[in-house]
Structures are given as structure tokens and as C-alpha cells.
Amino acid sequence: MTISRIVLFSFALLLSFCLCSAVQVSYDERALTIDGERRIILSGSIHYPRSTPEMWPDLVQKSKDGGLNAIETYVFWNVHEPLYRQYNFEGNLDLVRFIKTIQSQGLYAILRIGPYVCAEWNYGGLPVWLHNIPDVKFRTNNKVFEDEMKTFVTMIVEMMKHENLFASQGGPIILAQIENEYGNIMWKFGSDGVDYMDWCAQLALSYDTGVPWIMCQQDNAPAPMISTCNGYYCDQYYPKRKGIPKMWTENWTGWFKNWGSQDPHRTARDVAFAVARFFQFGGTLQNYYMYHGGTNFGRTSGGPYITTSYDYDAPLDEYGNLNQPKWGHLQKLHFVLRSMEKVLTNGFQRTVDYGNMVSVTTYNYEGKEVCFLGNANQSSDATINFQNTMFTIPAWSVSILPDCYNEVYNTAKVNSQQSIMIKSPNEADDGEEPYQLQWNWRSEHFAHRKKDGTVDGSSLIANALLEQKSVTNDTSDYLWYITSVNISQNDPILTTEQITIQVSTSGHVLHAFINGKHIGTQFAQNGQYSFTFERKLNLTIGVNDIVLLSATVGLANYGPEYEDIPVGITGSVQLVGTKSNQKVIIDLSKNQWIYKVGLAGYEKQLYAQTPKSASYVWHDIGLPTSRMFVWYKSTFPAPLGTDPVVVDLMGLGKGEAWVNGQSLGRYWPKFEANEDGCSYSCDYRGAYGSNKCLTNCGKPTQRWYHIPRSFLKADNNEIVLFEEFGGNPWNVQFQTVTIGTACADAYEGNTLELSCQGGRVISDVKFVSFGLPQGSCGSFSVGRCESPKAYAYVMNICLGKVRCSIPVNELTLGPTGCKETNRLAIEAVC
Ligand SMILES: *[C@@H]1O[C@H](CO)[C@@H](O)[C@H](O)[C@H]1NC(C)=O
Ligand SMILES: *[C@@H]1O[C@H](CO)[C@@H](O)[C@H](O)[C@H]1NC(C)=O
Ligand SMILES: *[C@@H]1O[C@H](CO)[C@@H](O)[C@H](O)[C@H]1NC(C)=O
Ligand SMILES: *[C@@H]1O[C@H](CO)[C@@H](O)[C@H](O)[C@H]1NC(C)=O
Ligand SMILES: CC(=O)N[C@H]1CO[C@H](CO)[C@@H](O)[C@@H]1O
């Protein structure tokens, strides 16, 4: 369970919030209106539990600098109410503090209460105890579910009202959401689904918050609920009901990652294209899902098998760094769009089709005109004559002309720095290389039956195999299934040639022990979460102990009735003796099974920095490697500087890691990403899909784990690892993430900003060419023509600087003699 520790409340923050006056939020067929003015809302998703309160101000500031005017978040019921009627709003679950952080920077907030959230979040954000209440049925016309949902949603709405956080009270919240993508699964519930949707709408309205409510992916949402679009592209989406604006609540900036899958990437050019198209065709509100993805700390990742990193290839990376050029390229787009707000939201809109997927849209308002030249053809650039000027529109791009004459932005032309991030060793190590941690260790206990047949700490005995979360309520990943079988001397199974145990499980990981001996481990792979475990074994005459340990790796979060997807040993457990064609089967499924939830080391809180664990013995010699079920502990100094910190867990198998008692999440470096499907180059053109532009094939799915700076003290930080599969901690290293190489590839007429991070300066400039340079960052080369003066100019103003700004034109960089539009390419080292 992820009850985060109490973090002292920053009162300074509370005092800094503005006493803003109430505004009237409404909408019409074109846009959301704030005090009667139609607005363009550019929003980004940041989920508060996926970072820390100490990171929030910086994340919000970078969102604002990136041109957003709103932040969106879900509300995560299962972490706020981990046990029935026991609430937690502390630390990174402090929703009020998060909303006030948004407010203190003058941004709007969009609150998607759900409470179903999907979001690759454990169990879609609904509490597992809710599923264990008799007669409950999720997300349909079911009294038990609706009563609990109402209790939670009411609490959240009241909490927001109490702090005056709705716009109608002077707060930042301009929109709220009830349910979530219900339209995708409603068919499953027939008329009950319709009743439930109406009930949701009535519930939302009953709160009288003074702000509009949305229901995303819900075409038939009852008025006045506003249906909105989610997807990679929403330009061809139009609301079914008249009088509501075209709004896009989830524009997927990238994609999430599973254990065993490669790293997905969505190019800055394609995201920008999708956004520009949306605004070309009448959109006025859009939200990036995600703008900062962050980290699934503790056991919060959904799935099964969602990784601990939820980077998402978002404009801010997992650690809060600018993901460049994505952040910068979108920033420029946001500024252009916002400069045209009045005309876009009020103007008369006219689109002319030029054929071949090329179209020109003009908005016209009070004598002002803005134009979008769009080319959705994925292979051929287009040159068109528009108002007696020739314009070239690259394939799969949109050009924006705020005066219908000058192109100020094209989605395929990136003029922002590209940063190549590096992980550098802990500088607090006094230069000793490699820094060797001193490890202590102790073994985790295997649960076992005592002589009298009982099991210490068991919670339940049943003559059946029980579904895992119905026993654990998901308070732990681990559940022991323990039984025994008495084999008499003349049992026919002893006459067979070979005996195996067959366990059919719904996943996700199974360890088996017979008579105290580990006989095997198996985990789900290739998306097949149910599997049959089969191993040879020897039985002894008399009582044989059978101990099975099942582990989950995130509960399902999506799909109709996802809540009923079973985990744990739900099939059968059999001993199968084989002799030629004959089989002797002893079915243990209806045996007496003793259940024990969790592991002893968790029970003792070996990861915590409390006296409770101090009294336990840790060994400092004979460090075991490649041994399953070992706890490791070490101390380390915090890396110097301000750059984000990660721990490299290469060499470890699977388990969980903690720093100073705070969980970094599950780790599993041994699980390698698929070998296939990666490409060296990534074409931004053509519709994106989550299997396009993959990297990291054949490498550990996730090797580095984020340690937020606020988890660290200057020295004597304690790291604890629980190693479930067996691994080697000798290569564990602490590193900082910063910009290693900064490249520029900018077109004439732009101003290029080049910068390092964390106080570093540009220490070297490896390549400069102004003209027609070829290649890309890391492999630039000189083209047909270039200016001989560019190199000296760039060296002069950039070398030794934290940041520098270069006007890209012949005046500063010298004449090139090229006939085409000049470009500037730079590769600098931070
Ligand atoms: C894209 O352009 C090519 C070349 O002009 C043309 O053959 C093709 O039909 C176009 N594709 C679409 C979808 O219009
Ligand atoms: C799980 O929750 C049920 C009620 O929903 C409760 O009766 C049971 O004791 C809980 N079990 C554990 C292991 O917490
Ligand atoms: C196991 O079975 C044998 C023979 O049926 C019996 O004598 C013995 O008491 C049993 N042992 C236990 C622990 O039940
Ligand atoms: C079973 O016993 C045989 C003979 O002692 C031994 O060789 C074999 O490894 C054992 N198998 C298992 C699965 O323990
Ligand atoms: C509401 C919902 O389920 N939205 C999902 C859309 O798909 C993205 C994929 O990442 C999920 O994260 C969202 O939660």
C-alpha cells in the first residue's frame, strides 16, 4: 500500500494563493467562455501522485513557460481511500495543495474526478475493497457502487468548495469531469448503462459547482454534460449535440510502456500537426495526455505490467526535464495559437479543398484574417498558389499564417533545440570510480506449515483456490497458497515414472516450493497473463508440503468489467504421475488451503527508517548474489547539484526499491524489451500508432529509477532493495540526468535558444554550419553551401555560457550563397 509519509505542509504556499475574484464559466457552440469571452484552452495532464509536492511548482512553471494556460488531473480514489473509510491526502496525495500550486501560477485547472480513471493506474483508480463488498457491480446502475461513488465524489467536490477552488468561487477549476470514457464500454450494460450515465449526470449537476461538466468519449452524454474527444487526432471529431464546443481532452503525446516492451516515441512534428489540425478545423480546447507523465511510485502502476516509469515521451520527461525539441516546438505553436484567440473563437470559418489532402482554412473576424494551410498527405509535399503567393507545405504538416500572408509556424519545421540527455555518475563520490556501495543483507522467509499444520500469520483457510485480490484486497503483491498432501506407501502415483505439479494461474508471477525446496518460478510473458506452471517433483511417503507464492504486477485498469479479471491461482493444482500412456492424478484444488497475505520483510517494514526495523539483524559479510528473496541495504551520499537523480539497478532481477523509506516503485531490469520492432529512423509522417518509432529493443525494459530530490538528505541516505528473483547489487549506481548534447537545426528567420541544464555551461561546439547542412543531431555534415563566418559567431556567443541566443539570419551568421532557405545546425556539448 502506498501511504506516503507526512510531508510538512508549506504554509508559505498557502499564503501565496491569490484572492482572485469569481469568474463565470460557460460555453457555446464555439468555445468555453470565461466571463462571457470565448477562450482557447491549452491544457496539459500532470497527475499529482506521479511526482512530489516539491516538484509541482517547477512542473507547473515549465507548463506555463511552454505556453499552456491550464493543467488537468484525474483524482485517484484508491490511493485516497486505501482502506474503507481511511483517507489519505498527505504528501503527493495532497490534491488541494496541487490545485493551489496551479492557481498560484495563474493557470486554470481541469479536474477529472471520474472516479474511474484508467490512466495505466492500478485497478483504474477504483479501490479493490470496493470490489469485495457483496453485490457490487462497477460502473453501472448498481446501488452499492453508486452509493460509494457518490460518497467519494461528494467528498472531493466539498473539499474543493471548502477551499474555494472552483472558478465560480474565485478558484482555478474551470471544468470538471464525471466518469471517464464510459462511451467505450457502455454497450456492455444495456439499459443499465444508460441509467447509470443519467445518474452520473444528475449527481454532477446536484453539486451546483458553477462550472460545466464534461464526459469524455460520451457522444450521447445527457445535456448539459459536454462530450469530448480522446485520441491521437481529433480534427475530424465533431460533437453530436448542437450548441457544445469541439473539445479534446486527451491528445496522446506518446505512449506508456509495459514490462517487456520497447520505448515508444511520438515525434514533436506529429504532435504539433495533430494540434494544428484540431485548431484548423474549429477546435478550441485541447489537453495533452500527458504533459508530464512521471513515475508510478510504490504499487500504483496498473496493467498488468505497466512499468514504474510513466515517462510517456511527454514534453516534460519523467524527471521534470524539458523533453526537447518536443517542449520547445509545441511552445512556439501555443504562442501562435493564443495570439489568434479572438479570431479563432469568433471568426467566420471557411475551408477550401485543394485536393490531394491539401486544404486551406481561413478565419475572419472584425477585419482580421488568420489562415491554416494544411497538408494531410503523408508522402508528398504540396506547393499551392494562395492569394497569388506560392506556398510549399511539407507532407503531413500545417502552416500557420496569422495574417494570411506570412508563414510564422509550420508543424514539420522544428526550430527548437534538441537535447540528448545523459546520466552522469554521482559527483559526491570523490571521483572514485566506480563508486562501490557497502551492502548489508538479510533473507526473506519462506512461509511454511509448522508441525501442528498451522502457518504463522495466516489470514484464511478454505477448501478452495481463491482469487488473489479477493483475499488480499490488494494490500500486497504477494499471496501464499499453502497445502499438504499425505502420500501413503501404496499410493498408485508412486508407481508412475514421472511426477509433475501443474498449477494453472491467472498470473502474474508464480514461485513453487515442495517440501521446503524451491522447484521453479514462472511469470507471464508476451501479454499472456494466464499460464500453466509445470515442473517435475519427487514426493515422499507421508506428508508433503506444497507452498505456492503468487505475485501480481499491477492490476488491470481498462476494458468492460476489467474489475473482474482474476489474478492468482484460480484454475487447478494437480499432481500428475505419468507411466507410458497412463496418468495418475491427485487433484489438490479442493484441498484445505491456508492463505497468508504478504511477505515477512514487508510486515517488519525492513524498508522503513524506523526503530521497528533497526532491531533486525542485517549481515555485512557473505553478500549473496543470484539468490531469490534477499533484502539488501546500503547508504549513499546525495549527488551534488540540482539535476534529477536516478539509481541504475542494472544487475538486479525483480523487486521493489526504497530510499529513506519511500518506495521508488517496482523494479525489473532483468526483463528485456522485445528484440524486434525498433527502427533507426523515425518518419514523422503518417498516422501515429503505439508501435511506431520504437527504441530500446533487446535492452532492459527499465534500468533507471527516479529518486526525487525531496527523498534525499545530504548524506547517509538509505537504499533498501527487496530482490525477489535473484540479482547482483554490486553495480548499483546513483546518477544525475542532464543535457549531454544540445543540437540545433533551425531555419532562417528564427531565433534559436541553446541551453544546458543544472548550472552547466556549453563546454564545446562540435559542429556548426549555416547553409544547407545534412543529417541529424550526432551526425551532421556540411551541405552544398555554407557561411564561413558562422562557426566563429556561434563560438563567440555560446562557448562557456549556460545559454545563448542566436538570431538565424545572414546578417549575423554571414552570407551562404545558397539559393534555398538557409538552416543553422549546431552540435554543442554541455
Ligand atoms: C498523396 O499524394 C500523392 C502524390 O501526389 C497521391 O498519389 C496520393 O493519392 C495522395 N494521397 C492521398 C491520400 O491523397
Ligand atoms: C478485505 O476486505 C474485506 C471487506 O471488503 C474484509 O472483510 C477483509 O478482512 C479484508 N482482508 C484483508 C486481508 O485485508
Ligand atoms: C498419512 O497417512 C498415513 C496412512 O494413511 C497415516 O497413517 C498418517 O497418520 C497420515 N499422516 C498424517 C500427518 O495425517
Ligand atoms: C528427484 O530425486 C532424484 C533422485 O534422488 C533426483 O535425481 C532428482 O533431481 C529429484 N528431482 C527433483 C525435481 O527434485
Ligand atoms: C479515460 C481513459 O481511459 N483514457 C486513457 C486513454 O488512453 C490513455 C493511454 O495512455 C490512457 O492513459 C488514458 O487513461
Side-chain angles (χ1 to χ4, degrees):
M1 177 185 341
T2 46
I3 301 207
S4 15
R5 284 147 38 105
I6 298 175
V7 171
L8 282 184
F9 214 89
S10 146
F11 285 98
L13 184 88
L14 272 180
L15 295 176
S16 73
F17 87 88
C18 60
L19 291 167
C20 313
S21 52
V23 292
Q24 174 77 42
V25 185
S26 187
Y27 59 88
D28 60 19
E29 73 289 353
R30 280 299 278 274
L32 209 63
T33 60
I34 296 181
D35 278 345
E37 297 269 317
R38 288 179 178 154
R39 297 299 306 276
I40 280 182
I41 304 294
L42 295 167
S43 168
S45 292
I46 300 179
H47 295 157
Y48 53 99
R50 286 176 155 145
S51 51
T52 62
E54 293 77 8
M55 290 170 69
W56 295 341
D58 182 56
L59 295 174
V60 173
Q61 178 74 55
K62 284 171 172 161
S63 307
K64 185 180 180 179
D65 294 347
L68 300 189
N69 57 6
I71 302 290
E72 180 270 357
T73 185
Y74 282 131
V75 178
F76 300 85
W77 185 1
N78 60 355
V79 285
H80 289 307
E81 193 176 353
L83 299 173
Y84 183 72
R85 297 299 183 263
Q86 293 185 27
Y87 295 104
N88 183 2
F89 286 91
E90 253 129 44
N92 68 348
L93 300 182
D94 192 341
L95 175 62
V96 167
R97 180 170 170 184
F98 182 68
I99 302 292
K100 286 184 176 175
T101 305
I102 296 170
Q103 180 177 33
S104 70
Q105 309 235 20
L107 271 66
Y108 297 122
I110 299 176
L111 191 67
R112 297 211 284 164
I113 301 176
Y116 168 68
V117 301
C118 191
E120 290 70 65
W121 188 260
N122 193 34
Y123 213 44
L126 297 180
V128 173
W129 57 256
L130 179 59
H131 188 246
N132 294 342
I133 298 181
D135 301 325
V136 75
K137 196 152 173 36
F138 280 18
R139 304 177 72 197
T140 184
N141 194 11
N142 172 280
K143 177 99 172 62
V144 180
F145 182 80
E146 287 173 349
D147 284 352
E148 284 300 321
M149 169 166 164
K150 181 175 174 185
T151 303
F152 180 73
V153 175
T154 304
M155 181 173 66
I156 297 299
V157 171
E158 290 308 322
M159 188 181 276
M160 296 300 109
K161 276 189 181 173
H162 181 255
E163 301 283 342
N164 294 317
L165 293 175
F166 287 103
S168 53
Q169 306 173 289
I173 303 172
I174 52 168
L175 274 182
Q177 176 177 293
I178 193 85
E179 250 296 338
N180 188 28
E181 293 193 337
Y182 191 61
N184 292 0
I185 61 152
M186 191 168 147
W187 54 273
K188 187 88 189 179
F189 300 101
S191 66
D192 277 352
V194 179
D195 291 348
Y196 169 65
M197 182 182 61
D198 287 340
W199 176 85
C200 288
Q202 286 315 313
L203 179 69
L205 292 179
S206 75
Y207 294 124
D208 198 17
T209 58
V211 303
W213 286 85
I214 54 175
M215 287 179 129
C216 64
Q217 302 276 76
Q218 193 77 51
D219 270 345
N220 51 359
M225 299 284 119
I226 308 174
S227 179
T228 63
C229 177
N230 291 350
Y232 291 119
Y233 307 91
C234 282
D235 50 301
Q236 298 308 312
Y237 158 86
Y238 293 95
K240 284 233 166 65
R241 202 172 71 236
K242 283 231 152 39
I244 63 178
K246 171 170 172 169
M247 306 205 290
W248 187 4
T249 36
E250 290 190 17
N251 166 9
W252 303 326
T253 51
W255 203 245
F256 57 86
K257 191 163 81 161
N258 287 306
W259 297 113
S261 4
Q262 313 88 330
D263 289 2
H265 298 281
R266 188 179 184 193
T267 61
R269 290 177 169 93
D270 184 46
V271 181
F273 171 69
V275 175
R277 293 275 293 174
F278 181 71
F279 285 91
Q280 173 176 0
F281 294 110
T284 49
L285 175 149
Q286 76 103 30
N287 174 63
Y288 293 100
Y289 189 102
M290 301 295 297
Y291 197 75
H292 172 253
T295 308
N296 292 315
F297 297 111
R299 305 172 52 248
T300 59
S301 66
Y305 274 26
I306 303 293
T307 53
T308 293
S309 169
Y310 195 66
D311 181 88
Y312 220 87
D313 197 20
L316 301 178
D317 75 9
E318 176 179 2
Y319 320 114
N321 298 312
L322 304 185
N323 176 8
Q324 292 280 47
K326 196 176 271 185
W327 181 88
H329 190 48
L330 295 173
Q331 177 203 42
K332 293 188 165 66
L333 173 58
H334 300 151
F335 289 146
V336 177
L337 289 171
R338 286 174 67 176
S339 75
M340 313 188 306
E341 183 171 44
K342 275 252 157 346
V343 185
L344 286 183
T345 55
N346 297 297
F348 174 74
Q349 179 196 3
R350 193 170 61 106
T351 296
V352 176
D353 190 351
Y354 280 66
N356 246 4
M357 310 287 284
V358 176
S359 59
V360 172
T361 302
T362 310
Y363 287 86
N364 194 309
Y365 180 65
E366 291 184 341
K368 278 207 175 133
E369 264 197 339
V370 307
C371 292
F372 291 84
L373 316 186
N375 179 5
N377 188 304
Q378 56 175 283
S379 55
S380 74
D381 300 349
T383 299
I384 61 168
N385 182 338
F386 175 63
Q387 298 184 354
N388 296 324
T389 311
M390 301 304 284
F391 288 93
T392 297
I393 321 159
W396 205 254
S397 82
V398 177
S399 296
I400 303 179
L401 288 55
D403 57 359
C404 289
Y405 188 72
N406 291 296
E407 172 188 317
V408 304
Y409 188 86
N410 174 276
T411 58
K413 297 179 189 164
V414 175
N415 293 299
S416 303
Q417 146 176 351
Q418 177 183 354
S419 302
I420 298 182
M421 307 306 287
I422 52 160
K423 309 215 166 57
S424 47
N426 187 353
E427 285 178 33
D429 295 353
D430 302 329
E432 271 179 60
E433 286 274 353
Y435 182 73
Q436 195 88 102
L437 294 167
Q438 301 301 313
W439 290 99
N440 292 338
W441 66 280
R442 51 178 280 135
S443 297
E444 169 64 32
H445 296 292
F446 302 119
H448 65 283
R449 262 168 33 99
K450 294 189 297 187
K451 280 241 160 58
D452 64 0
T454 63
V455 174
D456 280 340
S458 68
S459 59
L460 186 70
I461 296 177
N463 290 323
L465 290 165
L466 301 177
E467 197 274 336
Q468 184 159 341
K469 38 177 198 313
S470 68
V471 180
T472 64
N473 293 337
D474 198 39
T475 52
S476 169
D477 280 1
Y478 300 97
L479 179 63
W480 298 91
Y481 292 71
I482 301 170
T483 194
S484 66
V485 56
N486 187 358
I487 302 289
S488 66
Q489 202 157 6
N490 44 15
D491 194 306
I493 203 164
L494 294 179
T495 65
T496 58
E497 283 159 359
Q498 178 183 303
I499 306 172
T500 62
I501 182 168
Q502 296 183 3
V503 181
S504 80
T505 175
S506 300
H508 309 127
V509 178
L510 186 80
H511 305 284
F513 307 85
I514 307 293
N515 294 330
K517 191 168 164 244
H518 176 239
I519 62 158
T521 291
Q522 190 171 331
F523 57 91
Q525 264 173 303
N526 305 321
Q528 300 299 313
Y529 297 107
S530 299
F531 59 87
T532 300
F533 170 91
E534 181 168 8
R535 289 288 188 290
K536 287 187 212 159
L537 59 84
N538 292 325
L539 292 171
T540 58
I541 294 165
V543 177
N544 290 266
D545 281 318
I546 297 179
V547 176
L548 304 173
L549 176 64
S550 172
T552 52
V553 188
L555 300 178
N557 57 270
Y558 183 69
E561 297 172 346
Y562 77 88
E563 68 276 9
D564 293 330
I565 296 173
V567 287
I569 304 167
T570 52
S572 61
V573 177
Q574 297 184 328
L575 299 174
V576 181
T578 326
K579 183 181 188 180
S580 56
N581 282 340
Q582 286 184 313
K583 276 190 167 98
V584 179
I585 296 179
I586 303 178
D587 192 331
L588 304 177
S589 310
K590 300 232 156 60
N591 254 33
Q592 186 187 73
W593 288 91
I594 303 177
Y595 291 88
K596 180 178 158 89
V597 178
L599 300 179
Y602 279 78
E603 176 69 21
K604 294 181 176 130
Q605 299 183 354
L606 293 180
Y607 49 82
Q609 283 194 304
T610 59
K612 196 176 175 185
S613 69
S615 60
Y616 294 101
V617 177
W618 290 78
H619 313 289
D620 55 7
I621 51 166
L623 186 86
T625 58
S626 306
R627 188 201 289 179
M628 69 186 299
F629 276 40
V630 182
W631 291 82
Y632 296 105
K633 181 161 89 170
S634 186
T635 54
F636 64 98
L640 302 176
T642 55
D643 281 323
V645 180
V646 291
V647 58
D648 179 354
L649 293 183
M650 194 69 171
L652 274 303
K654 172 189 185 285
E656 186 170 352
W658 296 261
V659 166
N660 296 332
Q662 312 236 39
S663 175
L664 307 184
R666 298 187 189 93
Y667 68 77
W668 201 344
K670 208 172 243 176
F671 204 151
E672 286 176 357
N674 278 337
E675 294 272 343
D676 305 321
C678 288
S679 46
Y680 290 106
S681 61
C682 171
D683 191 347
Y684 72 91
R685 300 174 303 176
Y688 179 73
S690 58
N691 53 8
K692 204 177 158 183
C693 300
L694 301 174
T695 61
N696 204 45
C697 284
K699 303 214 180 101
T701 317
Q702 189 183 344
R703 175 172 168 181
W704 289 278
Y705 296 81
H706 183 205
I707 307 175
R709 283 264 175 199
S710 61
F711 287 11
L712 295 169
K713 322 172 269 189
D715 207 349
N716 269 316
N717 296 288
E718 187 174 279
I719 180 166
V720 176
L721 308 173
F722 168 62
E723 177 52 57
E724 177 183 337
F725 279 17
N728 178 353
W730 280 123
N731 296 320
V732 168
Q733 271 191 35
F734 299 90
Q735 297 164 349
T736 53
V737 187
T738 194
I739 300 173
T741 299
C743 283
D745 187 353
Y747 289 82
E748 196 165 6
N750 291 281
T751 297
L752 183 91
E753 309 277 347
L754 211 56
S755 61
C756 295
Q757 176 177 304
R760 288 159 191 259
V761 297
I762 296 174
S763 59
D764 191 11
V765 177
K766 287 194 165 161
F767 182 89
V768 177
S769 177
F770 180 55
L772 299 175
Q774 308 285 306
S776 56
C777 188
S779 63
F780 283 128
S781 62
V782 176
R784 256 189 297 113
C785 44
E786 65 166 353
S787 157
K789 283 174 57 185
Y791 182 76
Y793 180 85
V794 170
M795 287 297 274
N796 187 30
I797 67 164
C798 291
L799 199 66
K801 305 280 167 51
V802 171
R803 68 181 66 241
C804 56
S805 172
I806 306 158
V808 185
N809 56 52
E810 293 196 324
L811 228 57
T812 50
L813 296 165
T816 62
C818 316
K819 280 204 270 337
E820 300 85 341
T821 310
N822 291 311
R823 269 167 51 217
L824 173 67
I826 302 178
E827 182 179 333
V829 180
C830 285

